[in-house]
Amino acid sequence: MLVQDRAAKPPKSQIRELPTHQQIRRFSEPKNLDFTSWVSENVSRIVIFFLFIVTVASFFFLYNTTDTASLLCFQSQSTQSLQPLTRPQIKWSSIQVLPDKTSPYASFLTEKWIVVSVTKYPTEELKGLVKIRGWQVLAVGNSMTPKDWSLKGAIFLSLDAQAELGYRVLDHLPYDSFVRKSVGYLFAIQHGAKKIYDADDRGEVIDGDLGKHFDVELVGEDAKQEPVLQYSHENPNRTVVNPYIHFGQRSVWPRGLPLENVGEINHEEYYTEVFGGKQFIQQGVSNGLPDVDSVFYFTRKTTLEPFDIRFDEHAPKVALPQGVMVPVNSFNTLYHSAAFWGLMLPVSVSSMASDVLRGYWGQRLLWELGGYVAVYPPTAHRFDRIEAYPFAEEKDLHVNVGRLIKFLLAWRSQKHSFFETILDLSFAMAEEGFWTEQDLKFTAAWLQDLITVGYQQPRLMSLELDRPRATIGHGDRKEFVPRKLPSVHLGVEETGTVSTEIGNLIRWRKNFGNVVLVMFCSGPVERTALEWRLLYGRVFKTVVILSSQKNSDLYVEEAKQDHIYKHLPKIFDRYSSAEGFLFVEDDTVLNYWNLLQADKTKIWTTDKVSKSWTSVKPTGKSDWFSTQAELVKRIVSTMPAHFQVNYKEAAKNSQDTLTVCSSEVFYVPKRLVTDFNDLVELVGDMDLHYKVAVPMFFMSMDSPQNFDPVLGSMVYKRKSSSFNSSLSLYSAQAPAVHPWSISSEQDFIKLVGQMAEGDPLLMELV
């Protein structure tokens, strides 16, 4: 630790005595010790000290909160508001290549490296990695690594050894994290690396041979010159896939897959093919404990038995086309030199999110080089040590990853060199709050270090993503039907055939997989938004959440409840290929298993529920009903003929009354979306309440005789302030239940307990 040197005491001979009168004047007059006078003299110091205490207290309060996403958002927003982001300007030509002159391995060169982070003494699995022929293991330590760490056959970089290397990235790395592997990647590149296997010290390479499934060689005589099976790019709305389905495990999903995509468990209808040789990032699947998130780990773990999940080793490797992504981790991944720039592990996000963000960031940039990611059959076996996965460390990951994928697909750069393009994306991601300015600076340091250790940046290629999608002909389609291997679901091992519960989920997903669920939350979205997506995202195409206040971190859109219908056309346009749109408020529960018989080409509403759909006779005075009735008359008078005829025919028996519908739940089929939009335009800026507008729209669009009666048997009561009364109200046999109050995770758990009567698989969520 550095300490300030004390001032040297001068020799006695140099001390000059002051004259008597000067000595006396060195002491000032005694000050008045009155408290008021003291405060007035020190008011500026008191204010500064008070502000300091408040700042420190605020920081520790935010730091100790469990909502990591909120903290990251606060940090990024406050930093950006006080200090605008500045894009680093780098003179690439001025960076010199410098060989290693300080480490004991300065003259050592080899092409194949295995890089691992070590915190404890060498594991048996790590000892096995050292024995793999032709590969050099590099162990990267951190502040928690034992000082006497050693393993014969491995190169160990302690914190002191790392500091001596002089890399720029060292200024940005935390001392106690596995992200210090970035130092190891640079060291390997500096010492001749052409392939780097990013590994975990509890992973055992199957048969001790990385070449058994990985394509270690992409060029030359040893390269496998064969086409690679590829996911279809025909559906432009599919942006991410679960590769575990392809390898025989439908009920398992990888860490980093957006939770709203967890319910997509159908296998591919068909694949295409791509030429091999550019799979610069190769993600291996792990048997035993695959790379799963804490949601999976906690919901499937019912005993202390370790996971031992197996994947199909005979399934072919599969590539990802541009426009489709897959989670990539740092546990079992092979990087070729053309993708070494993508090894950088972000430092401003949680450790459980770092490699996932790196993977998505790297995939998007890989497209700029014409390269792609491929996923391979089981290449390693990771052992489950029965250690809890920290959900709090992943919360920001679950909140942001879906938004990140959408952002990456839309992002474009006009830069003409690849490293400038990388810097461009890192800057844009910092602006959007996916990581902070710290990672922008880290990227700049990383890229400069790459040049310093001798890495040459790849050349940009034209982006296929902007070209018209090629039509997939019948002859281009390749079939592969994944096996259905025994799995773990709700802590119960499945047999070789799909269980009844999984079969039901597939049936529901097949029926509603192209229906968009729109939910308005009047409660606190920060406590319920993720839960609603978990609940309904398994079944519906997507879950769009609206609220009176926008929350970008939770991807919650702002909308006024009184005019909720005015926001729907934007959603209709966004999901133009959807079969229909089901709207529900958060005080109403959907029993989707009882909606299968409903006709998705018809309107669903509560016109058969007397307490929801009512007729009110206005008093003629300026009350709310009279005002709304007057607006309805004005709008109907401007309707085109077909709307006006339909409405008047439906309202002929109640011409002097106003139709009001509580509209907690309704469905608009695709064929009537245009009509709905036209009616919204007719309303314009008029203050027509949604409980009046929605029934007016439906009566104008179609005859009530044609409405599907599916919601007619829903349980509907007036709102109750007692949650316990809602528990007794619930029925799994009804298509929907109202009211139901959800304001916390505990309320959600109670709801899932009730709904599990109709969908037992819901218990995996709690």
Side-chain angles (χ1 to χ4, degrees):
M1 182 174 67
L2 297 176
V3 296
Q4 184 175 352
D5 292 336
R6 295 179 181 270
K9 186 176 180 180
K12 191 172 182 179
S13 60
Q14 296 181 15
I15 299 176
R16 181 172 59 90
E17 291 190 3
L18 294 172
T20 305
H21 68 279
Q22 290 186 18
Q23 293 181 21
I24 295 172
R25 289 179 181 174
R26 290 185 62 184
F27 298 94
S28 59
E29 291 292 326
K31 294 185 177 181
N32 188 355
L33 297 180
D34 179 67
F35 180 78
T36 305
S37 301
W38 180 84
V39 170
S40 62
E41 291 178 5
N42 295 277
V43 63
S44 60
R45 294 191 182 114
I46 294 172
V47 171
I48 293 172
F49 182 77
F50 175 75
L51 290 175
F52 174 75
I53 293 298
V54 171
T55 303
V56 172
S58 301
F59 173 79
F60 277 104
F61 171 77
L62 284 170
Y63 185 83
N64 286 290
T65 186
T66 57
D67 192 349
T68 310
S70 299
L71 178 57
L72 290 174
C73 181
F74 172 82
Q75 290 174 332
S76 62
Q77 288 177 353
S78 60
T79 301
Q80 293 175 17
S81 61
L82 295 175
Q83 215 171 23
L85 282 175
T86 302
R87 189 182 186 280
Q89 302 298 322
I90 302 172
K91 294 183 179 180
W92 305 104
S93 59
S94 65
I95 303 172
Q96 296 182 351
V97 177
L98 299 175
D100 178 9
K101 295 181 179 180
T102 60
S103 76
Y105 307 97
S107 61
F108 178 74
L109 295 174
T110 188
E111 292 189 353
K112 300 175 185 178
W113 290 76
I114 300 174
V115 179
V116 297
S117 173
V118 292
T119 299
K120 302 176 181 179
Y121 286 109
T123 62
E124 292 301 316
E125 295 81 14
L126 184 54
K127 293 175 182 177
L129 291 178
V130 173
K131 298 176 182 178
I132 299 178
R133 295 182 60 184
W135 291 80
Q136 175 61 53
V137 171
L138 175 63
V140 182
N142 54 59
S143 61
M144 297 180 288
T145 310
K147 299 294 184 183
D148 57 344
W149 197 98
S150 177
L151 177 61
K152 185 179 179 180
I155 296 175
F156 173 56
L157 291 181
S158 65
L159 285 179
D160 291 338
Q162 295 171 39
E164 292 176 0
L165 296 172
Y167 299 148
R168 296 172 181 85
V169 297
L170 289 165
D171 295 335
H172 306 275
L173 292 170
Y175 287 101
D176 59 349
S177 173
F178 87 100
V179 300
R180 297 193 72 85
K181 288 175 82 174
S182 295
V183 176
Y185 306 141
L186 291 170
F187 183 89
I189 296 168
Q190 194 171 28
H191 291 82
K194 300 299 181 185
K195 297 99 182 173
I196 294 178
Y197 177 54
D198 206 5
D200 180 18
D201 68 350
R202 60 175 172 175
E204 182 181 86
V205 174
I206 296 176
D207 296 333
D209 181 10
L210 283 170
K212 182 176 182 179
H213 287 305
F214 280 132
D215 290 319
V216 176
E217 303 297 336
L218 295 180
V219 294
E221 295 181 359
D222 296 331
K224 300 174 183 177
Q225 303 294 335
E226 59 183 10
V228 180
L229 209 63
Q230 180 178 253
Y231 284 101
S232 167
H233 61 263
E234 190 171 50
N235 182 2
N237 293 320
R238 184 172 73 164
T239 57
V240 64
V241 296
N242 178 0
Y244 292 171
I245 299 172
H246 177 83
F247 296 100
Q249 291 290 357
R250 294 151 291 111
S251 62
V252 187
W253 65 88
R255 178 173 56 94
L257 185 75
L259 291 179
E260 56 264 32
N261 296 98
V262 166
E264 298 173 2
I265 60 175
N266 293 333
H267 66 75
E268 297 299 299
E269 183 179 349
Y270 60 87
Y271 297 80
T272 59
E273 283 184 337
V274 64
F275 289 111
K278 291 191 175 182
Q279 56 271 40
F280 300 139
I281 300 178
Q282 302 174 13
Q283 176 63 66
V285 172
S286 300
N287 282 334
L289 176 63
D291 185 28
V292 294
D293 60 25
S294 59
V295 175
F296 179 91
Y297 195 83
F298 282 127
T299 57
R300 308 304 175 92
K301 177 74 71 174
T302 59
T303 68
L304 293 179
E305 288 289 325
F307 276 130
D308 189 12
I309 299 172
R310 302 300 175 116
F311 293 88
D312 183 6
E313 63 177 339
H314 301 293
K317 61 194 173 194
V318 59
L320 282 298
Q322 291 191 17
V324 182
M325 291 185 164
V326 68
V328 173
N329 61 47
S330 59
F331 299 155
N332 182 24
T333 314
L334 181 67
Y335 280 75
H336 282 263
S337 58
F340 279 174
W341 47 266
L343 283 162
M344 180 194 83
L345 286 165
V347 296
S348 67
V349 297
S350 65
S351 59
M352 298 299 288
S354 181
D355 57 345
V356 172
L357 263 65
R358 175 187 77 170
Y360 285 123
W361 170 83
Q363 284 176 80
R364 176 60 187 85
L365 289 166
L366 196 59
W367 300 343
E368 301 286 339
L369 304 177
Y372 56 87
V373 173
V375 186
Y376 287 70
T379 53
H381 186 106
R382 292 180 72 235
F383 293 89
D384 184 5
R385 303 278 170 77
I386 323 294
E387 297 174 355
Y389 275 49
F391 180 79
E393 279 288 298
E394 291 183 356
K395 198 166 186 180
D396 56 326
L397 176 65
H398 293 312
V399 168
N400 284 324
V401 70
R403 186 169 66 92
L404 173 63
I405 293 170
K406 293 177 183 178
F407 164 78
L408 290 173
L409 290 174
W411 175 81
R412 297 292 185 273
S413 175
Q414 302 300 320
K415 300 299 180 181
H416 300 294
S417 72
F418 185 58
F419 277 10
E420 283 292 332
T421 302
I422 294 176
L423 209 55
D424 223 24
L425 178 55
S426 295
F427 179 75
M429 287 178 61
E431 282 189 315
E432 292 295 323
F434 295 113
W435 55 35
T436 71
E437 186 178 16
Q438 184 182 2
D439 271 313
L440 174 59
K441 294 177 180 178
F442 183 56
T443 304
W446 166 259
L447 295 175
Q448 292 176 83
D449 279 338
L450 281 176
I451 295 177
T452 299
V453 299
Y455 184 73
Q456 294 185 352
Q457 63 172 308
R459 296 179 59 183
L460 285 169
M461 298 184 66
S462 59
L463 191 65
E464 295 180 10
L465 201 60
D466 292 330
R467 301 174 189 170
R469 290 179 179 264
T471 303
I472 301 174
H474 184 74
D476 298 323
R477 300 184 178 190
K478 305 298 177 183
E479 290 189 1
F480 171 74
V481 180
R483 295 174 61 192
K484 297 176 181 178
L485 298 178
S487 184
V488 176
H489 201 77
L490 286 174
V492 179
E493 291 193 3
E494 294 178 5
T495 57
T497 58
V498 66
S499 67
T500 303
E501 289 81 6
I502 288 288
N504 285 335
L505 184 58
I506 293 173
R507 191 157 55 96
W508 300 331
R509 179 70 189 183
K510 186 175 182 180
N511 191 73
F512 297 113
N514 201 24
V515 172
V516 173
L517 182 69
V518 183
M519 170 173 279
F520 184 88
C521 288
S522 56
V525 292
E526 65 275 5
R527 298 179 184 175
T528 58
L530 180 59
E531 284 75 9
W532 285 124
R533 285 198 173 99
L534 280 170
L535 175 61
Y536 292 128
R538 304 156 59 252
V539 175
F540 293 94
K541 178 184 181 72
T542 192
V543 179
V544 179
I545 296 183
L546 310 176
S547 180
S548 57
Q549 291 186 341
K550 182 179 180 180
N551 189 318
S552 300
D553 293 323
L554 296 174
Y555 207 61
V556 174
E557 303 174 29
E558 182 179 2
K560 293 182 178 179
Q561 185 175 16
D562 291 354
H563 299 151
I564 193 69
Y565 60 93
K566 294 184 180 180
H567 194 84
L568 294 182
K570 298 178 183 178
I571 300 173
F572 295 164
D573 183 61
R574 190 185 312 159
Y575 300 99
S576 56
S577 63
E579 282 185 273
F581 300 83
L582 182 57
F583 175 84
V584 64
E585 294 184 19
D586 63 348
D587 61 356
T588 302
V589 177
L590 283 177
N591 291 338
Y592 39 83
W593 53 88
N594 293 324
L595 298 175
L596 290 176
Q597 73 275 20
D599 190 337
K600 289 180 289 183
T601 65
K602 294 184 177 182
I603 292 172
W604 310 351
T605 187
T606 53
D607 60 313
K608 301 294 191 297
V609 181
S610 59
K611 292 180 181 179
S612 173
W613 185 289
T614 58
S615 295
V616 179
K617 189 168 185 178
T619 62
K621 301 177 182 178
S622 58
D623 63 351
W624 185 84
F625 292 108
S626 299
T627 303
Q628 293 292 304
E630 193 60 37
L631 290 175
V632 170
K633 288 181 181 179
R634 286 171 55 188
I635 295 166
V636 171
S637 66
T638 62
M639 286 181 179
H642 62 290
F643 286 149
Q644 199 169 135
V645 169
N646 284 343
Y647 179 81
K648 291 181 177 179
E649 178 65 24
K652 65 181 179 180
N653 295 326
S654 53
Q655 294 182 358
D656 298 328
T657 61
L658 176 69
T659 302
V660 179
C661 178
S662 55
S663 302
E664 291 91 358
V665 54
F666 59 82
Y667 171 83
V668 180
K670 182 178 182 178
R671 70 179 182 88
L672 295 177
V673 162
T674 302
D675 290 349
F676 193 100
N677 292 344
D678 292 342
L679 290 167
V680 171
E681 287 187 16
L682 284 177
V683 174
D685 295 331
M686 284 186 272
D687 189 18
L688 187 68
H689 199 276
Y690 81 103
K691 292 185 179 182
V692 176
V694 171
M696 183 192 74
F697 286 3
F698 287 169
M699 293 163 66
S700 304
M701 289 155 53
D702 204 351
S703 169
Q705 295 179 354
N706 295 329
F707 296 171
D708 193 287
V710 66
L711 295 176
S713 58
M714 72 176 287
V715 174
Y716 193 97
K717 302 290 183 183
R718 298 299 180 189
K719 289 199 175 183
S720 170
S721 59
S722 171
F723 187 85
N724 290 329
S725 64
S726 296
L727 292 175
S728 60
L729 179 72
Y730 182 81
S731 171
Q733 285 70 47
V737 177
H738 173 87
W740 195 283
S741 174
I742 297 289
S743 59
S744 66
E745 293 181 5
Q746 288 72 27
D747 292 344
F748 181 78
I749 292 172
K750 292 178 182 178
L751 171 61
V752 167
Q754 295 287 315
M755 294 181 68
E757 182 181 346
D759 182 2
L761 296 186
L762 283 176
M763 291 306 295
E764 71 183 54
L765 302 180
V766 298

